[in-house]
């Protein structure tokens, strides 16, 4: 089963074409890493998949539910009700955490459960406490984001994304704001999720991590997919010269 299907995606900002006829599918339980130079369109692709940007053309479906479709050359987007349901199928972890600074750690996790999904408060708190235990942060439940290290804040962000029990998790450079020691904390968490067969799409510059954890790697440059294949094979023995040039810097 394909959890994510993106076909012939186009996206421009003004006169700048950022995504040019991109197609991508992700199967249930698969971990896909997207690599490439800055400005290649990696983060924009994730933003389109997660409704933060509207595509100019193409189709997107999550778990078979159409987020965007093309009918007779016109883009049709999911209506408000469908959009709420589709958004409940995925979680997104940003590079800069995006926690609410005036909410406790527990409330950062429970807020959307209580107010968007109408989960009873006691049940939402139980979900938060279970996930904080999983992240090794049980003692931080009543702390505020400013009292946490960057690695701890990112683990809270991952817990928040997991709280809705998503079908797929998207990570946009989840370690780029962290120093090397804290990066290791986050990569360990993602590695454990991969072992649990969590479906994930990860934009990353961590090549060793991508090679070890991802099932498949996609290399993007200039708004197109240059090459894709099994993670170990692509990173160790890329076919395309553009991919080899990029990986030579790592």
């Amino acid at each position: 089963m394909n959890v994510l299907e993106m076909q012939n995606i186009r996206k421009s900002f003004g006169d700048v074409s950022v995504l040019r006829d991109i197609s991508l599918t992700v199967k249930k339980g698969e971990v896909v890493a997207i690599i490439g130079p800055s400005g290649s369109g990696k983060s924009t692709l994730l933003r389109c998949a997660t409704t933060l940007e509207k595509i100019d053309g193409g189709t997107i479906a999550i778990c078979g539910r159409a987020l965007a479709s093309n009918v007779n050359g016109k883009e049709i987007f999911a209506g408000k009700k469908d959009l709420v349901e589709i958004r409940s199928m995925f979680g997104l972890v940003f590079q800069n955490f995006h926690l609410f600074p005036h909410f406790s750690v527990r409330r950062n996790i429970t807020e959307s459960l209580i107010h968007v999904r109408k989960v009873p408060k006691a049940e939402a708190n139980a979900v938060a406490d279970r996930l904080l235990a999983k992240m090794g942060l049980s003692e931080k439940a009543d702390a505020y984001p400013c009292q946490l290290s960057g690695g701890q804040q990112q683990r809270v962000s991952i817990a928040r994304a997991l709280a809705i029990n998503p079908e797929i998790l998207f990570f946009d450079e989840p370690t780029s704001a962290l120093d090397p020691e804290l990066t290791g904390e986050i990569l360990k968490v993602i590695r454990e999720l991969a072992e649990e067969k969590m479906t994930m799409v990860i934009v990353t510059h961590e090549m060793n991590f991508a090679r070890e954890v991802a099932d498949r790697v996609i290399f993007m440059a200039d708004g197109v997919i240059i090459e894709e294949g099994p993670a170990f094979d692509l990173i160790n023995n890329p076919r395309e010269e553009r991919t080899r040039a990029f990986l030579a810097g790592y």
Side-chain angles (χ1 to χ4, degrees):
M1 170 186 160
N2 290 332
V3 178
L4 173 68
E5 297 182 66
M6 304 181 77
Q7 300 294 328
N8 308 116
I9 302 300
R10 292 181 288 105
K11 177 65 181 177
S12 297
F13 294 105
D15 296 330
V16 180
S17 180
V18 180
L19 299 175
R20 299 183 286 156
D21 200 30
I22 294 275
S23 293
L24 165 68
T25 60
V26 180
K27 295 182 176 65
K28 186 173 180 62
E30 188 177 26
V31 179
V32 175
I34 303 177
I35 64 173
S38 297
S40 60
K42 307 183 301 296
S43 292
T44 300
L45 185 64
L46 249 63
R47 290 178 66 84
C48 289
T50 56
T51 74
L52 295 176
E53 298 285 354
K54 277 193 172 183
I55 59 174
D56 298 325
T59 65
I60 305 174
I62 294 180
C63 296
R65 297 284 298 275
L67 186 59
S69 54
N70 193 289
V71 180
N72 298 324
K74 182 180 180 181
E75 282 301 310
I76 306 296
F77 297 95
K80 186 175 181 180
K81 181 176 181 294
D82 288 335
L83 193 57
V84 169
E85 293 178 1
I86 294 170
R87 282 175 172 161
S88 73
M89 297 176 182
F90 65 79
L92 174 59
V93 178
F94 300 91
Q95 55 183 308
N96 291 317
F97 323 137
H98 285 211
L99 299 175
F100 295 109
H102 56 297
F103 287 174
S104 69
V105 164
R106 183 185 284 111
R107 188 174 173 188
N108 263 283
I109 297 169
T110 62
E111 187 72 4
S112 64
L113 289 177
I114 295 169
H115 296 288
V116 177
R117 306 195 75 178
K118 308 303 180 185
V119 174
K121 185 175 181 180
E123 184 179 335
N125 284 337
V127 169
D129 291 345
R130 174 177 58 80
L131 289 170
L132 288 172
K134 183 182 180 73
M135 297 294 147
L137 293 172
S138 293
E139 76 284 0
K140 300 294 185 181
D142 296 318
Y144 288 83
C146 65
Q147 298 172 307
L148 306 180
S149 69
Q152 289 170 332
Q153 289 185 61
Q154 192 62 296
R155 279 183 277 160
V156 173
S157 296
I158 295 171
R160 179 177 60 186
L162 288 169
I164 62 171
N165 195 27
E167 294 292 334
I168 183 170
L169 272 183
F170 294 94
F171 292 85
D172 186 11
E173 299 279 13
T175 61
S176 65
L178 305 175
D179 63 36
E181 182 178 358
L182 298 180
T183 290
E185 292 181 15
I186 302 309
L187 297 184
K188 180 176 181 290
V189 170
I190 298 174
R191 185 177 282 108
E192 290 170 353
L193 291 173
E195 291 171 355
E196 296 170 6
K197 299 301 182 183
M198 183 75 214
T199 309
M200 293 184 282
V201 178
I202 308 166
V203 171
T204 184
H205 285 294
E206 300 286 342
M207 296 304 133
N208 288 334
F209 173 76
R211 175 171 48 208
E212 295 168 10
V213 175
D215 298 299
R216 185 158 47 101
V217 166
I218 291 171
F219 173 66
M220 288 181 63
D222 303 319
V224 299
I225 293 176
I226 302 294
E227 182 173 355
E228 65 178 294
F232 187 87
D233 294 345
L234 187 145
I235 292 177
N236 281 58
N237 189 29
R239 300 184 306 273
E240 302 294 330
E241 177 58 35
R242 183 70 180 85
T243 316
R244 288 196 293 271
F246 172 77
L247 291 171
Y250 287 88

